[in-house]
Amino acid sequence: MKHTLNLAGRNLFDLDVYTVEEIETIFETAKVMKEINSRDYKKIPTLRGKTVATLFFEDSTRTRISFELAAKRLSADVVSFTTAGSAMKKGESIQDTVYTLNAMGMDLYVVRHSCPGVPQLVHKYSQKPVLNAGDGRHAHPTQALLDMFSIWEKRGSLKGLRIAIIGDILHSRVVRSNLIGMKKMGANVVVCGPRTLMPPKIEEVYGVQCEYDLKTAIKDADVVMGLRMQLERQTEGLFPSLGEYTSRYGLSNKMLEYAKDDVLVMHPGPMNRGVEILPEVADSEHSIIIEQVANGVAVRMALLFLILGGKPGREVA
Amino acid sequence: MILLKNGMVYLSNDKKIIKADVLIEKKVIKKIAPSIDEKNAEVIDCAGMHIFPGFVDMHCHLREPGYTYKEDIASGAASAAKGGFTSICCMPNTKPAIDNLSTLDYIMRKARDVGKTKIFVIGAMSKGIEGKEIANIATLVKGGVVGLSDDGNCIQVAKLQLNVMRYASIYDIPMICHSEDYSLSGDGQVNYGYMSTKLGLPGIPTLAEESMVSRDIMLADVTGSRVHIAHASTKRTVELIRQAKKDGIKVTAEVTPHHLVLNENACDGFDTNTKMKPPLRSEEDRKSLLEGLLDGTIDVIATDHAPHSDYEKELEFMKAPFGVIGFESAFPVLYTTFVKTDLIKLEELIDRMTSKPANIINKEVGELKEGAAADLNVFNLDESFTFDESEILSKSKNSPFIGMNMWGKIYYTMCDGKFTWKV
Ligand SMILES: [Zn+2]
């Protein structure tokens, strides 16, 4: 192992305060975790006695299962809090919820919320490490880490790669964290989508290239990532029809011809097949979409392990 | 009689600061002179201190009736007095709204009983500040309101705004416009631009303000009524006002201390005490506001003191209400940021916080001169302090300036010859 950085006790609100070395430490630890996940008996005792609370104020079954599986494979206890039918509906505040859970002895919180900044709020009230599992359209750092890990595994590094991210950039939390992380790891990133779905000053904020034409964006790309198009954006007047969107920004085989021959196709899921990505692309040999999901568990295991006090190195296995 | 000795005194008539004594008899400033001897007076040594006319704030929220858990007339008045204010104007977005005589009378009576500061009332433009029907404006004017506004509930329908202005134009009172097109601001939380992208929060474009400012200026032009643009926040707003003044349209404008001092970067970190309407804008906008203030395009500084309780502000950023308090930090923040750095002359700052707003609301307040009401404050400008939450007199503590080191500590405030604040 190259790195022996200690991430114990850290929060993960977003990737901005993480260094290249720290991100590589997470990747290298995730590689070990991935090996554990390939065993017949997929469990190690490392976090026995620790309790992880998953607070999902907004539904996301996929992400929640990924985190809970990660915690369980490390033998942590998992407490799962979702808003459906909970006290939040009766007007209990986040503050009260966290105080209550804290009194029961949580060691780490995984937080998902529709409003940006809530993970920070949970940390403020809990004084325990918090992993951001998606806060509004602000950040989704574990998704970004698993995306980046998936590329890193295939290519050995992100340095100098041309990565094109296509779709609804404005409403995507995944994009924001990915832009921070990918730029940090040395990639050249281009974002592309309709102008109504592009946040202002994106070049300035993230140091990325912004294009409105798909061909230009994809040209010579090493990686192409499609983003989920939420159908309600049409009724909000942000684009006129799915047909027009797909014809301008849908990822098809024809479009992929502009990219590099060995281009990797990614998607954070869940996909609208036939809208932002055609099945021919989603199921092609370029696609690593299913691997992303598997890597998600490994990356989250690595984070829980490192933040709850594990030291990188052989002791993992 | 009270004799303030050896202070540096701002003279409203000359916009000048001289070393002098000030003699107060009952409610009135009896004499200002280089040296006054008066055996029967209580003497207060003001050596090393500055004596200013009491500040006039033409835009604040006292939350009574209806929201007294945030603030009430007594706590708001105490907070104002501690900030050196002796006249404040409260906005009509109370519950019930100030669109009727009984609510107006209630506030004026309560204000007299509390006594800590003069309270003037802004009446509603539309009934219930709902933007649907024109309010009983003639009744409100007769009852004593000093301006009309629906403030944050900015009338969206141009026709109604036109009728309000046309109807009210026969009275010489300002139409105070919080100019915001809701179809453009939507569920925006912070400035549309760098910070909305970085924080992933919906943005409020400058256009939401500028398009409404344009409308309100044009309506002032055709109706001949006086328009006062509240809390200007963008570069183009300043340009629009500058041009309107050149064109002879009756327009005045205010800016808040927070829009002058902070930019959108303050929102990084999701502190809900940086959430306000209009939002903190870009550095370019902020600089334009300062320029506009300096060249007279923007006439006055107003606090937009907007108290909210902890449990409302300590929520998710998207759920927390807009607004910050302002009385107790206004002068020290401006003095520290602009006067100490030679960007604004002290005399100019005082003028914008006293005579200028008093002129717009047409009241003879905020003047330090012989024969005027004894409304004044005493500051030691060479003393610094940290703006501490525990010392705030407002019921609410939602200030973006908490923890800031400031110069200019207040020692006394006097309103109508009575001390309303003493260290
Ligand atoms: Zn206001």
Side-chain angles (χ1 to χ4, degrees):
Chain A
M1 275 224 162
K2 253 186 0 204
H3 299 292
T4 51
L5 291 168
N6 190 355
L7 300 182
R10 291 280 292 275
N11 292 300
L12 179 64
F13 299 138
D14 203 352
L15 296 178
D16 49 356
V17 295
Y18 276 63
T19 64
V20 171
E21 291 73 27
E22 286 165 345
I23 291 172
E24 283 176 350
T25 300
I26 295 165
F27 289 170
E28 281 165 15
T29 311
K31 222 158 96 185
V32 180
M33 295 301 175
K34 208 172 166 180
E35 188 272 314
I36 292 165
N37 284 337
S38 68
R39 295 177 191 168
D40 278 349
Y41 186 75
K42 302 174 176 55
K43 195 157 177 142
I44 56 171
T46 319
L47 296 185
R48 192 182 283 158
K50 300 281 187 188
T51 309
V52 170
T54 57
L55 306 190
F56 276 60
F57 299 105
E58 178 188 72
D59 289 336
S60 174
T61 311
R62 292 162 58 109
T63 307
R64 187 166 55 80
I65 287 175
S66 178
F67 268 108
E68 293 183 1
L69 201 55
K72 285 173 180 165
R73 291 213 170 138
L74 297 168
S75 301
D77 293 320
V78 178
V79 172
S80 174
F81 178 94
T82 54
T83 31
S86 77
M88 293 298 288
K89 291 245 161 76
K90 295 175 209 143
E92 188 179 89
S93 69
I94 288 177
Q95 186 174 9
D96 293 333
T97 304
V98 172
Y99 283 164
T100 306
L101 288 168
N102 233 24
M104 296 188 229
M106 303 301 140
D107 295 299
L108 178 145
Y109 293 84
V110 174
V111 179
R112 168 82 153 220
H113 198 286
S114 60
C115 175
V118 168
Q120 284 88 331
L121 215 53
V122 170
H123 175 69
K124 182 178 161 194
Y125 297 133
S126 69
Q127 296 299 316
K128 291 281 171 7
V130 170
L131 288 182
N132 183 359
D135 58 335
R137 49 167 107 156
H138 172 233
H140 196 358
T142 63
Q143 175 74 39
L145 283 170
L146 78 87
D147 292 340
M148 289 156 59
F149 175 69
S150 303
I151 301 168
W152 182 81
E153 245 194 330
K154 297 276 179 201
R155 294 286 181 266
S157 159
L158 275 75
K159 200 162 271 169
L161 296 185
R162 180 171 165 87
I163 302 175
I165 305 179
I166 317 297
D168 180 356
I169 309 295
L170 178 64
H171 298 95
S172 174
R173 50 179 146 230
V174 176
V175 164
R176 287 178 167 74
S177 294
N178 260 317
L179 295 185
I180 295 171
M182 288 169 170
K183 286 297 293 181
K184 193 169 269 190
M185 302 307 282
N188 299 313
V189 189
V190 50
V191 291
C192 176
R195 186 131 184 236
T196 45
L197 294 171
M198 197 62 77
K201 297 185 190 263
I202 183 141
E203 299 102 320
E204 199 187 314
V205 177
Y206 299 105
V208 297
Q209 186 187 335
C210 175
E211 293 292 343
Y212 300 106
D213 175 64
L214 182 59
K215 277 182 209 162
T216 317
I218 284 191
K219 187 143 192 332
D220 297 326
D222 297 280
V223 179
V224 174
M225 186 188 290
L227 297 174
R228 180 175 172 80
M229 170 54 70
Q230 300 204 337
L231 307 181
E232 69 259 30
R233 305 302 171 204
Q234 189 185 333
T235 53
E236 290 167 10
L238 293 173
F239 69 97
S241 70
L242 287 179
E244 182 164 307
Y245 179 78
T246 306
S247 74
R248 300 271 298 133
Y249 298 104
L251 297 177
S252 63
N253 274 340
K254 197 163 151 266
M255 275 297 150
L256 278 198
E257 281 173 19
Y258 293 91
K260 287 209 176 127
D261 290 341
D262 61 347
V263 65
L264 300 175
V265 172
M266 306 178 73
H267 192 293
M271 281 182 282
N272 295 305
R273 281 169 181 267
V275 179
E276 66 264 6
I277 190 163
L278 298 181
E280 63 194 29
V281 173
D283 304 327
S284 72
E285 79 270 22
H286 295 292
S287 167
I288 56 168
I289 293 169
I290 295 299
E291 275 179 83
Q292 283 176 269
V293 178
N295 286 342
V297 178
V299 163
R300 287 168 180 130
M301 285 170 78
L303 282 165
L304 290 171
F305 171 77
L306 292 168
I307 287 174
L308 278 175
K311 288 190 183 57
R314 287 208 178 72
E315 149 190 356
V316 176
Chain B
M1 279 190 285
I2 297 168
L3 181 59
L4 306 175
K5 286 290 281 183
N6 298 317
M8 297 299 293
V9 181
Y10 175 93
L11 303 175
S12 294
N13 282 340
D14 311 324
K15 276 178 69 171
K16 243 199 208 151
I17 293 172
I18 59 155
K19 191 158 194 228
D21 297 348
V22 179
L23 181 67
I24 294 130
E25 185 173 19
K26 290 190 178 140
K27 290 181 167 190
V28 177
I29 295 169
K30 198 171 176 205
K31 197 174 174 191
I32 303 173
S35 183
I36 302 172
D37 280 317
E38 176 57 60
K39 289 194 182 57
N40 299 324
E42 173 194 346
V43 176
I44 293 172
D45 181 17
C46 294
M49 308 258 206
H50 277 73
I51 304 174
F52 301 129
F55 302 143
V56 179
D57 186 9
M58 61 176 295
H59 188 155
C60 74
H61 301 267
L62 295 179
R63 307 299 189 203
E64 181 172 353
Y67 305 98
T68 50
Y69 62 96
K70 298 174 195 255
E71 192 83 286
D72 55 36
I73 290 168
S75 66
S79 177
K82 193 184 169 191
F85 290 89
T86 53
S87 294
I88 59 178
C89 303
C90 61
M91 281 290 171
N93 59 339
T94 47
K95 199 169 156 187
I98 310 174
D99 65 352
N100 61 86
L101 266 192
S102 60
T103 308
L104 175 61
D105 283 344
Y106 169 82
I107 294 167
M108 301 215 300
R109 201 168 352 100
K110 188 87 188 272
R112 272 195 301 276
D113 292 347
V114 168
K116 288 226 159 193
T117 179
K118 291 170 184 168
I119 295 177
F120 301 107
V121 183
I122 314 285
M125 286 176 167
S126 73
K127 284 180 189 155
I129 51 171
E130 284 176 347
K132 291 185 188 132
E133 287 175 75
I134 187 166
N136 292 310
I137 289 172
T139 308
L140 290 169
V141 172
K142 196 154 176 274
V145 299
V146 297
L148 294 174
S149 182
D150 275 6
D151 202 22
N153 287 26
C154 173
I155 293 174
Q156 298 295 298
V157 179
K159 176 82 188 197
L160 179 62
Q161 182 84 346
L162 170 69
N163 283 339
V164 166
M165 288 202 199
R166 186 174 277 154
Y167 187 85
S169 64
I170 58 168
Y171 309 105
D172 185 28
I173 59 167
M175 307 287 112
I176 301 171
C177 296
H178 166 127
S179 304
E180 176 185 354
D181 181 329
Y182 291 133
S183 74
L184 290 170
S185 55
D187 65 346
Q189 305 287 311
V190 295
N191 186 36
Y192 177 85
Y194 193 95
M195 267 300 141
S196 65
T197 294
K198 180 158 192 254
L199 300 177
L201 288 165
I204 303 175
T206 55
L207 187 62
E209 172 172 316
E210 293 148 355
S211 62
M212 249 357 179
V213 167
S214 307
R215 180 198 76 171
D216 292 336
I217 286 173
M218 287 182 203
L219 293 178
D221 189 24
V222 296
T223 59
S225 65
R226 285 208 278 140
V227 154
H228 176 80
I229 304 299
H231 38 57
S233 80
T234 86
K235 184 177 176 186
R236 184 168 280 171
T237 293
V238 176
E239 285 163 4
L240 287 165
I241 297 165
R242 191 175 285 134
Q243 186 59 44
K245 284 189 164 177
K246 261 186 211 152
D247 295 344
I249 299 169
K250 285 189 263 177
V251 58
T252 55
E254 73 191 30
V255 63
T256 71
H258 43 271
H259 288 108
L260 278 175
V261 170
L262 303 173
N263 66 27
E264 60 180 336
N265 295 339
C267 304
D268 205 355
F270 300 103
D271 180 359
T272 53
N273 288 336
T274 63
K275 178 174 172 177
M276 56 212 40
K277 257 195 183 176
L280 296 171
R281 301 289 191 184
S282 72
E283 180 60 10
E284 193 189 2
D285 289 313
R286 189 192 70 83
K287 283 192 178 138
S288 302
L289 295 171
L290 180 60
E291 249 168 60
L293 185 74
L294 290 173
D295 72 13
T297 302
I298 294 178
D299 304 82
V300 310
I301 295 164
T303 67
D304 195 6
H305 177 84
H308 294 293
S309 70
D310 308 359
Y311 68 84
E312 291 171 307
K313 271 289 193 184
E314 287 189 4
L315 285 177
E316 301 92 302
F317 201 93
M318 304 263 302
K319 275 195 193 165
F322 293 91
V324 299
I325 55 170
F327 290 142
E328 294 166 65
S329 54
F331 177 78
V333 162
L334 295 167
Y335 177 74
T336 304
T337 315
F338 299 117
V339 180
K340 283 210 58 102
T341 55
D342 288 328
L343 290 167
I344 301 180
K345 277 181 68 190
L346 179 58
E347 292 84 348
E348 198 58 40
L349 175 61
I350 300 302
D351 184 46
R352 302 313 182 86
M353 294 181 74
T354 57
S355 302
K356 286 277 189 319
N359 285 342
I360 293 171
I361 60 166
N362 223 342
K363 290 282 163 188
E364 289 192 6
V365 291
E367 303 231 285
L368 192 43
K369 60 184 180 191
E370 288 178 3
D375 294 353
L376 53 83
N377 56 49
V378 179
F379 276 87
N380 182 349
L381 301 184
D382 298 321
E383 195 174 334
S384 72
F385 65 100
T386 300
F387 192 60
D388 192 313
E389 189 177 332
S390 66
E391 287 173 23
I392 293 173
L393 289 189
S394 168
K395 277 191 187 177
S396 297
K397 321 291 169 197
N398 50 315
S399 167
F401 297 115
I402 285 169
M404 180 179 163
N405 196 56
M406 314 180 173
W407 291 87
K409 191 172 160 71
I410 189 161
Y411 274 77
Y412 306 99
T413 305
M414 180 181 276
C415 184
D416 276 335
K418 278 200 194 107
F419 286 108
T420 53
W421 167 256
K422 262 187 198 180
V423 158

